[in-house]
Amino acid sequence: MVAFPEKICYTFVYTKNIESANFPWKGCGMNLGKKGKHSMDKMQLKALAKINLGLDVLRRREDGYHEVRMIMQTVYIYDRIFLEKQEQPGIQVKTNLYYLPSNENNLVYKAAKLLLDEFEIRGGIAIDLRKYIPVAAGMAGGSSDAAAVLFGINRMYGLGLSTEQLMERGVKIGADVPYCVMRGTALAEGIGEILTPLPPMPPCYILVAKPGVSVSTRFVYENLKASALPFHPDIDGMREALTQGDLQGLAGRMEQGNVLETVTVPEYPVIQKLKDTMMRCGAQAALMSGSGPTVFGIFKSRQEAKKAFAVLKRGHLAKQLFLTTPYNRRAQL
Ligand code: ATP
């Protein structure tokens, strides 16, 4: 059990289904709750990661952005964020990862500034960010941190913004932020900001493996041949499978589920190795998330997933490994 000064959290979640090679809260029960509606001085939040069950690119727009169609799924892997009001104006950020910015370049800073400025909040805020979601890995870690800070400041200061209003503000920070505010299963279109909620992903176990290579999202999109892709994922078929609650139908369509693999897999052979290993270990599907390099595998049984976890751990193909589940609760204000 980890003791915190205040036990107020983003949502009610339990860790009993999570295991990880580097996750410090394995097995700890979070005593959450107490959703005070108005002003409070301290708050702790969980910022959850996402995976892409499908990712298609329709075209490159004239402004350089890519039009996408993606199926997003929140998973129960998270960063922890502690917020505390300060009497002195200003935003202080500290993080457990030395290589992350702790200035205005951190997305948590941007999120805090956006609301403090808009609502002319006097005084400042201290943000303690403990990162566990793999960084620059296609899991929207930074966007989720920003979403959590928007959510937290809205509640701490009793700003009264609705989920939709938080999402509108989130898109100013990044295209994935609105989805991270919303959470659950969703279709993301446009540049990722046009969201349609989808039926929840059927229960399963998800093995997440981040290899020791770094992939820049920019590099991937710059090298993508958007007008000559060798395949397009069956996003509508995946939607249908979700509506039917059909895990096998969903997994069957994930074989060619992410067009960004056309850039990353030739460049980083470890991605294909991770996928193959997961499939050999009984995964229903194994796919790269976002622009990678993180790979996730979908398993029907906990036993098989645990076995695959052990195989990957022994093989040293991944630097970070998580065994987790889908997270299907929407944001609750
Ligand atoms: P996406 O899936 O949305 O492409 P990602 O997983 O590829 O996201 P992030 O981990 O969100 O990438 O971060 C990418 C970069 O953003 C990092 O290299 C880092 O320097 C910068 N950054 C700024 N704020 C944060 C934050 N709070 N957490 C992680 N990275 C951050």
Side-chain angles (χ1 to χ4, degrees), residues 12-274:
F12 292 86
V13 277
Y14 298 96
T15 55
K16 69 175 187 240
N17 279 336
I18 189 158
E19 284 163 50
S20 160
N22 68 351
F23 210 59
W25 296 295
K26 180 183 161 190
C28 79
M30 296 290 168
N31 185 3
L32 310 176
K34 274 204 193 147
K35 294 184 179 179
K37 261 206 166 0
H38 296 294
S39 263
M40 49 184 84
D41 290 338
K42 287 179 183 177
M43 204 170 173
Q44 66 179 52
L45 303 140
K46 286 178 183 176
L48 274 70
K50 63 87 180 154
I51 54 173
N52 297 94
L53 302 178
L55 195 162
D56 196 9
V57 174
L58 306 184
R59 68 182 186 101
R60 187 175 188 275
R61 304 193 319 194
E62 292 68 40
D63 60 8
Y65 284 99
H66 287 80
E67 215 170 279
V68 293
R69 270 191 108 208
M70 314 186 280
I71 297 190
M72 322 284 277
Q73 175 63 51
T74 307
V75 291
Y76 194 41
I77 296 171
Y78 52 86
D79 294 338
R80 275 207 166 269
I81 298 176
F82 300 84
L83 301 180
E84 187 167 6
K85 285 184 187 172
Q86 305 289 303
E87 275 177 25
Q88 293 300 317
I91 300 165
Q92 300 158 31
V93 177
K94 76 172 186 185
T95 138
N96 59 330
L97 297 185
Y98 70 90
Y99 53 85
L100 280 186
S102 54
N103 55 17
E104 66 281 1
N105 291 323
N106 198 303
L107 298 185
V108 295
Y109 186 107
K110 290 184 203 256
K113 183 161 170 40
L114 195 147
L115 290 186
L116 294 187
D117 285 356
E118 180 181 344
F119 290 88
E120 296 176 358
I121 294 169
R122 276 197 291 273
I125 191 151
I127 306 173
D128 182 359
L129 170 62
R130 313 229 184 124
K131 295 265 340 156
Y132 299 96
I133 300 173
V135 175
M139 301 195 77
S143 302
S144 189
D145 295 340
V149 169
L150 291 178
F151 179 97
I153 290 182
N154 184 40
R155 179 173 291 173
M156 256 174 56
Y157 289 91
L159 304 182
L161 295 172
S162 65
T163 305
E164 287 69 29
Q165 288 170 321
L166 288 179
M167 288 161 68
E168 279 163 22
R169 281 151 182 86
V171 76
K172 296 180 189 160
I173 304 167
D176 281 347
V177 179
Y179 165 72
C180 293
V181 171
M182 177 179 158
R183 296 174 158 181
T185 316
L187 176 69
E189 295 172 292
I191 59 164
E193 86 293 14
I194 304 170
L195 298 169
T196 310
L198 295 178
M201 184 180 190
C204 62
Y205 295 89
I206 302 174
L207 182 57
V208 173
K210 156 76 170 54
V213 293
S214 291
V215 177
S216 123
T217 304
R218 195 174 168 167
F219 166 85
V220 176
Y221 276 100
E222 276 177 4
N223 286 281
L224 185 75
K225 297 192 173 44
S227 55
L229 290 169
F231 63 87
H232 284 281
D234 182 7
I235 299 287
D236 291 324
M238 290 183 181
R239 247 182 118 161
E240 182 55 28
L242 285 167
T243 305
Q244 303 295 328
D246 175 9
L247 184 66
Q248 218 161 328
L250 178 69
R253 291 174 172 90
M254 283 166 63
E255 200 179 324
Q256 294 192 319
N258 183 347
V259 295
L260 302 184
E261 286 186 353
T262 58
V263 178
T264 50
V265 167
E267 193 77 19
Y268 305 99
V270 65
I271 294 173
Q272 189 62 48
K273 280 189 197 152
L274 281 168

